[in-house]
Amino acid sequence: MNFKSYVISWNITRLCNEHCQHCYIHASPFADRARELSTEECFGVVAQLREVNPGALLILTGGEPLLRKDVFEISRCATDAGFMVVMGTNGTIISQERVEMMKANGIRGVAVSLDSLDEAKHDSFRGYRGAWANGVRGMEALNEAGLPFIVQTTVTRQNFDEIEAIAGFAADHGARVFNLYFLVPTGRGAFMTNITPDDYEALMRRLLVMQPMFMGRMLVNAKCAPHYQRVLWEHDPASPFLKGFVGSGGCPAGTQYVGITPDGDVTPCPYLPRYGGNLREQTFAQIWNDSDLFTAIRQRTSLGGRCGECEFNTMCGGCRARAYGATGDTMAEDPWCVYQPGRHGLIQIQPALSESYGVEIEFRMPWTAEAMGRVSRIPAFVRGLVVRQIEDAALADGMAEVTPELMIRVREGIGNRVAMVPNFVRELVKGS
């Protein structure tokens, strides 16, 4: 298969105003920044990333990225290089002024953390009094300014029973997407008590109910939970939420997804503390294409235990970071999965390729210059899928070419079906 760095999560700093219990990168107000990449080095990283995939979705996160004084210089550089740039933040220091700075420097969307509707519980989990109130104010500032935002929640024993309520709160405050993260035992998260595998399975069943409940209003996603692909398929093999990258299914670590630490170490996944190389010593292309770690993690046939036997190996593959955190072996079975292989036979189950991320663009009809300009701004990993859906609508209407007017008319349908950055894509198609 064709491995491309479609989604890049870049921790640009470990500095953070919070001290979260689950932080995988040990971020804090007192973090050691001695080896943090300089502004010029960050510009060089952007150039290297562009050589491998200029149309990637680039997530600038931390720590708290807004605490880096040059964060907007970095975002502007990446935007000018052709990346779709978004930001992952705890939301506590977002103000109207900072939102306008985000918009002026190429930030197309923001992810904000919210782990409980109980202020005291959220603040305790985040190690920062006022985290909840300030985070909600940040969401309100984003909503007021019209900058699309995601709410991200990590499920724990403490908030297990309030996930639906948190999602409803996010939707009421204007969130376009609700991402529910399943804990990976790494960093400080290794010292937390996780929910049980049975709880994990039960919560995924609850997500089956939540997703259609918010359809058309807010997308609901499971993150760090490739097993959800199997749950979706068992519920409905034609589910519109059943998505993955071509050939790699649920877990894209090291195949279409990559992480970069503040020091320049490159990992298949930010939650996996194993590195293929360092950008001060090797180029991104060398690490991505040739490192032993990235080569090994792409071998799904080398997965151990139940993951290696499973008929959902390609569609799911288990969480490699969770496997490593629990066993010390990147290719071991994911112990948080309760599924026993063979229930549906032992022949590999494949998702429909027409509905997969990473589908190559195949133009079947003419596009106007303005329409082509808009589609070129869509992240590469969903561009082929979006083009196909727009052209399907045009052909169904008997149109001779794709126009911006058609793109505007079908954008809601696209937003409901493209399951990773739907509302960011919708705004790009709209041209706003």
Side-chain angles (χ1 to χ4, degrees):
M1 64 176 291
N2 186 19
F3 301 109
K4 286 189 176 181
S5 51
Y6 283 117
V7 182
I8 302 162
S9 181
W10 186 359
N11 299 91
I12 60 173
T13 186
R14 286 187 176 84
L15 183 63
C16 190
N17 57 333
E18 296 185 336
H19 193 276
C20 299
Q21 294 179 24
H22 67 318
C23 183
Y24 60 92
I25 201 170
H26 291 287
S28 78
F30 313 105
D32 182 1
R33 304 178 67 190
R35 297 193 68 248
E36 189 172 284
L37 295 171
S38 68
T39 305
E40 290 301 320
E41 286 178 314
C42 287
F43 292 165
V45 168
V46 169
Q48 290 187 35
L49 297 175
R50 191 177 189 279
E51 289 180 3
V52 176
N53 186 6
L57 173 69
L58 180 61
I59 306 165
L60 299 180
T61 185
E64 174 48 60
L66 289 171
L67 291 177
R68 257 196 83 138
K69 295 180 180 179
D70 58 357
V71 62
F72 295 124
E73 295 178 59
I74 298 170
S75 69
R76 172 46 57 193
C77 173
T79 297
D80 291 345
F83 294 100
M84 180 177 179
V85 184
V86 297
M87 180 178 287
T89 168
N90 58 42
T92 59
I93 58 174
I94 293 177
S95 61
Q96 291 183 344
E97 181 182 6
R98 282 197 171 99
V99 173
E100 293 306 316
M101 288 290 289
M102 290 177 186
K103 294 170 68 175
N105 288 282
I107 303 296
R108 302 304 301 266
V110 180
V112 178
S113 299
L114 182 67
D115 294 301
S116 178
L117 296 187
D118 182 319
E119 290 191 45
K121 189 187 296 184
H122 176 89
D123 289 1
S124 175
F125 183 66
R126 297 240 148 215
Y128 171 47
R129 182 175 295 177
W132 191 94
N134 291 330
V136 171
R137 276 195 290 271
M139 291 164 51
E140 292 169 346
L142 290 165
N143 193 40
E144 183 178 341
L147 185 57
F149 71 94
I150 287 172
V151 167
Q152 307 204 127
T153 298
T154 297
V155 61
T156 64
R157 289 185 181 278
Q158 287 69 38
N159 66 9
F160 184 78
D161 294 326
E162 59 174 323
I163 299 303
E164 290 84 353
I166 297 172
F169 183 89
D172 290 343
H173 281 72
R176 308 292 185 88
V177 182
F178 175 72
N179 283 339
L180 182 63
Y181 278 81
F182 289 77
L183 182 69
V184 176
T186 188
R188 289 197 289 267
F191 303 98
M192 288 184 60
T193 302
N194 203 348
I195 61 174
T196 68
D198 287 335
D199 287 338
Y200 192 126
E201 187 80 4
L203 186 52
M204 289 191 289
R205 300 291 173 182
R206 287 160 58 187
L207 284 172
L208 289 175
V209 177
M210 290 173 62
Q211 285 184 314
M213 183 187 308
F214 291 99
M215 177 72 88
R217 183 183 178 199
M218 180 184 74
L219 194 81
V220 175
N221 285 328
K223 294 292 185 179
C224 301
H227 321 68
Y228 190 52
Q229 294 289 95
R230 184 256 307 167
V231 172
L232 281 167
W233 187 90
E234 289 181 317
H235 177 71
D236 177 10
S239 170
F241 300 102
L242 189 61
K243 294 289 192 298
F245 286 96
V246 174
S248 67
C251 181
T255 59
Q256 282 83 25
Y257 182 49
V258 63
I260 303 173
T261 73
D263 310 330
D265 290 324
V266 180
T267 172
C269 167
Y271 301 100
L272 177 61
R274 295 193 63 202
Y275 307 106
N278 185 278
L279 293 172
R280 286 188 170 115
E281 302 165 2
Q282 298 166 274
T283 67
F284 179 74
Q286 289 172 331
I287 297 169
W288 178 260
N289 293 323
D290 303 325
S291 74
D292 291 342
L293 175 61
F294 279 79
T295 299
I297 204 168
R298 292 165 183 167
Q299 303 302 313
R300 288 293 175 90
T301 56
S302 300
L303 294 178
R306 287 174 298 138
C307 286
E309 303 169 0
C310 188
E311 60 267 37
F312 293 98
N313 178 307
T314 301
M315 187 183 294
C316 167
C319 174
R320 297 300 93 221
R322 188 175 292 110
Y324 181 80
T327 70
D329 181 358
T330 306
M331 305 305 285
E333 70 175 45
D334 184 336
W336 260 257
C337 179
V338 300
Y339 183 75
Q340 294 299 322
R343 184 190 304 166
H344 303 286
L346 290 175
I347 298 174
Q348 284 297 303
I349 297 172
Q350 300 281 357
L353 293 182
S354 62
E355 296 296 325
S356 296
Y357 301 129
V359 174
E360 294 296 325
I361 296 177
E362 181 182 351
F363 291 106
R364 295 169 288 168
M365 59 189 301
W367 288 56
T368 67
E370 185 179 352
M372 191 66 76
R374 292 185 182 187
V375 82
S376 69
R377 299 197 299 272
I378 294 172
F381 75 95
V382 291
R383 196 177 297 156
L385 181 57
V386 171
V387 165
R388 180 172 297 174
Q389 292 175 355
I390 291 173
E391 289 193 346
D392 284 346
L395 292 168
D397 287 354
M399 298 183 66
E401 65 178 357
V402 174
T403 65
E405 290 74 24
L406 172 71
M407 297 175 76
I408 292 172
R409 184 164 57 79
V410 301
R411 69 181 185 269
E412 292 299 323
I414 292 172
N416 284 336
R417 293 183 65 80
V418 180
M420 191 170 293
V421 287
N423 292 283
F424 301 156
V425 170
R426 187 157 62 222
E427 295 302 319
L428 289 168
V429 170
K430 180 181 176 183
S432 61

